[in-house]
Amino acid sequence: MISIIDDDESIREGLGGLLHWLEFEVAIFASAHEFLASPALAKCACIVSDVQMPQMTGFELHGHLLAMGHDIPTILITAYPNDDARARASTAGIVCYLRKPFDTNVLIECIRSAIAPGTA
């Protein structure tokens, strides 16, 4: 299952539709807290999360999951990229750090790489 976490409904719906069309099992969430409280957490193979969200950022979500013992491959997307955040993502073990708008083919490549056997 691929979990999409973004406070922007159009991003959630667009990515959810695309990934569903590509025959991925998809769950969408408006916030990190909504994802953490869901049964999808136990089935999640990859997360695509916005960086900037109210209450808990994509970085904070990734750190929280690691602290809980869940090393789920994470892809972060952002409309506000910067070199410090990109370096932080690399250091934190984020699979991909993509700037919005991003090439959906690049996102799909990131997801496929993240869920490939032996990568997680």
Side-chain angles (χ1 to χ4, degrees):
M1 172 182 292
I2 311 301
S3 294
I4 299 166
I5 307 162
D6 199 308
D7 58 326
D8 183 328
E9 183 177 7
S10 64
I11 297 288
R12 289 192 310 271
E13 296 299 325
L15 289 180
L18 171 67
L19 295 177
H20 182 73
W21 181 77
L22 291 169
E23 299 185 356
F24 287 105
E25 184 180 358
V26 180
I28 59 173
F29 304 93
S31 72
H33 291 293
E34 185 181 325
F35 167 71
L36 290 169
S38 79
L41 174 59
K43 300 185 331 178
C44 188
C46 181
I47 293 169
V48 178
S49 176
D50 191 10
V51 171
Q52 296 296 327
M53 296 182 291
Q55 300 173 355
M56 184 182 291
T57 69
F59 281 113
E60 291 168 340
L61 171 62
H62 182 70
H64 186 75
L65 288 167
L66 289 175
M68 292 172 53
H70 298 287
D71 190 9
I72 302 170
T74 300
I75 297 164
L76 292 180
I77 57 177
T78 184
Y80 308 101
N82 65 62
D83 291 339
D84 290 340
R86 182 174 300 283
R88 181 177 171 199
S90 178
T91 302
I94 300 297
V95 174
C96 291
Y97 179 84
L98 303 176
R99 177 183 183 184
K100 294 178 187 176
F102 48 83
D103 182 332
T104 55
N105 291 320
V106 172
L107 175 65
I108 293 163
E109 183 179 313
C110 287
I111 291 170
R112 288 190 171 139
S113 174
I115 63 174
T119 58

